[in-house]
Amino acid sequence: MGYAQLVIGPAGSGKSTYCSKLHEHCTTVGRNIHIINLDPAAENFDYPVAMDIRELVSLDDVMEELGLGPNGGLLYCMEHLEDNLDDWLTEELDNYLDDDYLVFDCPGQIELFSHVPVLKNFVDHLKRKNFSVCAVYLLDSQFMTDVTKFISGCMSSLSAMVQLEVPHVNILSKMDLVAKKKDVEDFLNPEPQVLLSELNQRMAPQFAKLNKSLVELVDNYGMVSFVPLNLRKATSISYVLAQIDTCIQYGEDADVKIKDFDPEDED
């Protein structure tokens, strides 16, 4: 069985930086991972690219030849990838062993993992190839400045969870840039009544029932929670990686290594 992270999230949430720091961390601890670029608009990388969608299709070429804008061109590129899952992607995946660990750095267009089926079909293809897949959803921690943005982030993450139907880890990125960490920490384990009270204070009275339903969705089902990530701390990266590894059962079938000791000579 192979293992894969699908790194998703809004544009600017730190996906490529996460992939770069994750590769650095794994190299330091002697662990082998492969980073794959799935963004046809990407140009510069701080990590070695093991596989690159631009070998299949280029956003610049699509925009020039078809007269599409950046967003339309990117959707065309991803649909072209979807059309070539059984050809290009399968051929590329055949270069990796059964127990290899792949990390897919995805584009930031939210529609790709909220309602367009491209990434859903991509994930299904990986599962057919015997990969255990975890979606890693990054959200900028500086986005979590008030309760309305927190609820918005939860709903965005939930839509990706429902669409992709794979184990899911939500990460609050860029924690090292947060000036008042207490403001963010309040949303890691939020009190539902406090959330509801703050929502009702910020929004018009006609939204009271909607606010109550949203807070109950977040609280009652426990479907959305966030893990803070500070890329400047190796312990924080290790903790996040352990959460993801648990989701995909990485290392659970590894053999226990027992060191043999020579018995001491008796006097």
Side-chain angles (χ1 to χ4, degrees):
M1 174 181 287
Y3 304 91
Q5 292 186 29
L6 193 72
V7 183
I8 59 178
S13 58
K15 297 183 293 297
S16 294
T17 303
Y18 163 81
C19 291
S20 174
K21 294 298 183 181
L22 181 65
H23 184 271
E24 287 182 14
H25 175 78
C26 289
T27 300
T28 300
V29 300
R31 179 169 165 179
N32 192 31
I33 65 171
H34 307 279
I35 313 292
I36 289 98
N37 172 48
L38 284 187
D39 187 353
E43 295 180 352
N44 301 312
F45 302 96
D46 292 328
Y47 54 78
V49 181
M51 230 164 81
D52 195 342
I53 188 178
R54 296 177 304 169
E55 296 174 358
L56 173 69
V57 61
S58 166
L59 177 61
D60 290 338
D61 292 342
V62 168
M63 291 173 60
E64 181 179 348
E65 294 178 13
L66 301 180
L68 297 173
N71 285 334
L74 188 138
L75 283 175
Y76 179 91
C77 291
M78 298 307 291
E79 289 172 351
H80 185 67
L81 170 64
E82 183 181 11
D83 292 337
N84 286 271
L85 292 178
D86 292 325
D87 299 319
W88 179 80
L89 182 62
T90 297
E91 183 179 339
E92 292 290 331
L93 291 176
D94 287 342
N95 294 324
Y96 298 96
L97 302 175
D98 289 341
D99 59 349
D100 275 340
Y101 198 111
L102 309 183
V103 179
F104 293 91
D105 187 4
C106 298
Q109 274 65 16
I110 194 169
E111 57 267 30
L112 292 175
F113 45 83
S114 61
H115 59 277
V116 174
V118 173
L119 285 184
K120 166 64 176 169
N121 293 333
F122 180 84
V123 166
D124 289 343
H125 183 81
L126 289 178
K127 290 193 286 188
R128 287 195 298 270
K129 291 296 180 181
N130 203 29
F131 277 86
S132 179
V133 185
C134 176
V136 181
Y137 187 96
L138 269 68
L139 189 67
D140 190 341
S141 57
Q142 298 178 89
F143 181 81
M144 298 293 205
T145 55
D146 60 58
V147 65
T148 55
K149 292 182 178 179
F150 170 73
I151 293 295
S152 175
C154 286
M155 295 301 102
S156 174
S157 170
L158 185 57
S159 68
M161 293 171 66
V162 172
Q163 170 81 352
L164 296 177
E165 296 181 320
V166 291
H168 204 95
V169 174
N170 298 304
I171 294 176
L172 278 185
S173 61
K174 305 182 183 180
M175 283 295 293
D176 51 305
L177 302 179
V178 176
K180 296 181 179 179
K181 290 184 170 53
K182 180 64 168 61
D183 294 341
V184 175
E185 290 171 355
D186 289 341
F187 294 115
L188 297 180
N189 294 292
E191 290 292 334
Q193 291 305 317
V194 174
L195 288 180
L196 182 57
S197 175
E198 291 184 7
L199 273 177
N200 289 334
Q201 290 175 16
R202 288 179 173 271
M203 301 181 70
Q206 60 262 37
F207 294 108
K209 288 185 178 180
L210 175 63
N211 293 340
K212 185 173 184 294
S213 297
L214 290 174
V215 170
E216 287 178 349
L217 177 64
V218 173
D219 177 56
N220 292 349
Y221 295 93
M223 296 180 73
V224 181
S225 60
F226 291 92
V227 180
L229 173 61
N230 184 341
L231 289 175
R232 297 182 182 222
K233 294 183 178 180
T235 53
S236 180
I237 300 175
S238 294
Y239 179 77
V240 167
L241 186 57
Q243 297 289 312
I244 299 168
D245 289 346
T246 299
C247 286
I248 57 179
Q249 298 178 315
Y250 175 76
E252 290 192 1
D253 57 349
D255 294 332
V256 177
K257 296 181 179 179
I258 302 175
K259 186 174 181 180
D260 293 329
F261 292 91
D262 295 331
E264 296 182 359
D265 294 335
E266 295 181 359
D267 293 332

